[in-house]
Amino acid sequence: MVVAVSGSGRALGPSENRPWTFYALGGLFFGFLAFLYGPMFVIYLLSFQGPNGGVTFPMVGTSLTWFRDIVKPEQMADIPAAFERSIFLASVVSAITVVTSVAAGLGFRRRFRGSFILFYLAVASLVMPSLLVGFGIGLGFQVLGLHNNMFTSALGAQLTWTMPFGLFAMFAVVNRFNRSYEEAAADLGATAWQRLRHVTLPILLPGIIGVAMGAFTLSYDEYARTTLTIGNHNTLPLEIYALISSATSPMLFAIGTVTTAVSFLLIGMTLVVVFRMQRRRRAIATEN
Amino acid sequence: MDPRFDVELVAVTKRYGTTLAVDDISLRIPRASYCCLLGPSGCGKTTTLRMIAGHEAVSAGDILINGDNVTLDPPIRRGTAMMFQSYALFPHLNCLDNVAFSLKMRGIGKAERHAKAREFLGLVHMANYAERLPSQLSGGQQQRVALARALITRPKVLLLDEPLSALDPFLRIKVREELKRLQRELGITFIHVTHSQDEAMAMADLMVVMDDGRIRQSGPPREVFEQPVSAFVARFIGGHNVLQGARGPIAVRADRCRLGVAGDSPHVSGRVAAVEYQGTMVRVALAMDSGDEASALVPDAAFYSAPVEPGDAATLVWSEPDAHVLAEM
């Protein structure tokens, strides 16, 4: 196909020259990378804006003023508290998502009557408009006379998003799992619980960590479903959005830098844990 | 309780919905024998093995091991152990822990179960690899570990699902010698599923040829090879020509056929379709005038004293006593 596009009329064959499409597609890719990372890089840079600088270039000196501003008590937004709430909520969401999606992933391996319908019912909320889901839940709580709260309505609203995602991810993980591991374990006298504990879960562990991470980050920056269900205390994305619409200062950029750093820290720590696990296995292996 | 048999299948049937995977088979496997279940893919041999292991429920019939009816027992209570086709070694455990797994499940302490596991790794010459992970082993080494893991449960019957299919041809011959030696030394029954007639003939005390969910013939390999009951068996175990005799279908071993001229002895004629040099023998394939195919395995010296080429007219000749009358087509 590439040869046809180049129009040289040359027969297909080995050539040391790359076709022009290689450079065109390469350019497109780098353009996309610039689009993706450029604005973020600008934000990180501007978060170190000097005390008299604004939200645009030029930089008027450099400082950590805006980072200090985040934790200043007289701010109109309480960023540290919102951050704490977000981390806490994301941890709970992640834990519940892991438990349910691992259980469902293992359960769905068997095709039972109605399993398809059940599956589509479970994942349908992925295609529902997020804002409407949140609106519906918020409204439902009001109708029932319940207060919207982080660990009731908001937790539920976020789970409608993370659990189908977790289920999909576990399907991919479980599909690659060879059933004969469990049969071998049964053959060797393991009870159902022992099979799960000593064989299935350890083998699936890397995938399970992935689901936990995915659910955590989905919850951590969830906005649309949370905004109408959170009640009186905002999570971090809601707090940031409130700030953006009310005031603009480089502090917003500083918040962006800090939250990104936290995300990278989290990913980095997970990678270290996984890497250590692998290295320990390898170290045990090379001991002899 | 009949102590003469390690395994007895009594009218065992397996249905998946409306399809019959295993159709009313009965089989008795004598004490301490090497039994090969042989057949084309989809013939029900693996399903049969899995029913004996307890990984597949039996639709009808009974399975007895050492005279005990185990039809409804879970795998561990049957006295069987299975070696899986892909070995199914636990990837997160090293060899030692893989082999010690069944002891751990029974709550046996670490020191004791590791000592025992080392002993069984030694039995399969893998003691030096105790700390390795399965992914760091070759196929042949993984197989030995899987064998040790199965044997540590002290089974009365070892079930092997295509144990040699993942190995290269040279290793395959070596491993089958070892399996056979191990079976003799342990004095237990091995049931080995394979689709390779070479493997079955080389290893089996009892060869069971299956097709379409049924047992077509069972007996010592030599008996099956010399007296196949049907055209299917004769064709499947190979080395036979299935021809039309005076009183119905006959099987004639290809190595008892030769190229010659039509005379008093029985013969068929056709054209040479292919000539394959096989070292000690040359296989000459014939497209017969009737449209069927037949072949002759001719000793190399005999072939090269009167060579033929594809396209030549040729006549396949055999002597009357070599024709084996088939009971069924």
Side-chain angles (χ1 to χ4, degrees), chain B residues 119-189:
Chain B
E119 184 188 315
F120 276 85
L121 278 174
L123 181 72
V124 295
H125 311 295
M126 285 295 289
N128 292 335
Y129 297 87
E131 315 294 333
R132 294 260 187 111
L133 287 176
S135 58
Q136 294 165 315
L137 302 178
S138 71
Q141 291 169 332
Q142 286 183 22
Q143 195 206 36
R144 288 156 182 270
V145 176
L147 199 55
R149 187 178 70 174
L151 290 174
I152 203 169
T153 63
R154 301 224 169 258
K156 297 172 200 142
V157 179
L158 184 70
L159 308 167
L160 306 105
D161 187 7
E162 308 237 358
L164 307 178
S165 61
L167 306 177
D168 67 64
F170 284 106
L171 199 55
R172 210 173 286 171
I173 290 178
K174 225 181 112 206
V175 171
R176 75 186 191 200
E177 285 171 10
E178 274 176 44
L179 283 177
K180 184 78 185 172
R181 174 185 61 81
L182 211 54
Q183 184 265 330
R184 263 200 312 271
E185 285 177 8
L186 294 170
I188 62 174
T189 284

Side-chain angles (χ1 to χ4, degrees), chain A residues 178 180-191 194-195 198-200 202-203 281-282 284-288, chain B residues 50 53 55 75-76 80-82 84 86 88-92 94 101-102 104-105 128 131-133 136 149 153:
Chain A
N178 186 345
S180 57
Y181 291 133
E182 286 174 323
E183 285 180 350
D187 213 64
L188 296 167
T191 60
Q194 285 176 320
R195 287 201 292 276
H198 294 289
V199 176
T200 313
I203 293 176
R281 285 179 186 174
R282 219 175 301 141
I284 289 169
T286 45
E287 242 169 45
N288 268 28
Chain B
R50 290 171 55 79
H55 294 308
I76 189 64
T80 57
M82 180 142 167
F84 291 81
S86 52
L89 290 175
F90 305 128
H92 59 298
N94 64 23
F101 187 84
S102 60
K104 186 177 181 181
M105 294 305 106
N128 292 335
E131 315 294 333
R132 294 260 187 111
L133 287 176
Q136 294 165 315
R149 187 178 70 174
T153 63

Side-chain angles (χ1 to χ4, degrees), chain A residues 168-221:
Chain A
F168 264 126
M170 276 314 293
F171 267 42
V173 171
V174 166
N175 263 339
R176 284 197 304 254
F177 179 75
N178 186 345
R179 217 135 196 190
S180 57
Y181 291 133
E182 286 174 323
E183 285 180 350
D187 213 64
L188 296 167
T191 60
W193 172 248
Q194 285 176 320
R195 287 201 292 276
L196 188 68
R197 159 81 184 75
H198 294 289
V199 176
T200 313
L201 289 183
I203 293 176
L204 295 180
L205 191 61
I208 293 172
I209 290 176
V211 169
M213 288 282 297
F216 186 94
T217 47
L218 284 184
S219 160
Y220 180 63
D221 70 357

Side-chain angles (χ1 to χ4, degrees), chain B residues 95-109:
Chain B
C95 294
L96 194 64
D97 286 328
N98 259 288
V99 176
F101 187 84
S102 60
L103 304 179
K104 186 177 181 181
M105 294 305 106
R106 275 164 45 199
I108 289 168

Side-chain angles (χ1 to χ4, degrees), chain A residues 124-135:
Chain A
S125 81
L126 282 183
V127 296
M128 300 217 215
S130 314
L131 209 53
L132 287 184
V133 171
F135 183 57

Side-chain angles (χ1 to χ4, degrees), chain B residues 224-273:
Chain B
V224 175
F225 188 72
E226 293 189 342
Q227 294 153 39
V229 295
S230 67
F232 168 79
V233 174
R235 286 202 184 93
F236 190 75
I237 59 177
H240 285 81
N241 291 314
V242 177
L243 302 164
Q244 209 46 247
R247 294 178 304 276
I250 56 166
V252 190
R253 282 163 53 171
D255 61 322
R256 299 284 162 84
C257 293
R258 57 187 197 281
L259 300 175
V261 285
D264 292 340
S265 52
H267 63 273
V268 288
S269 51
R271 288 197 173 275
V272 176

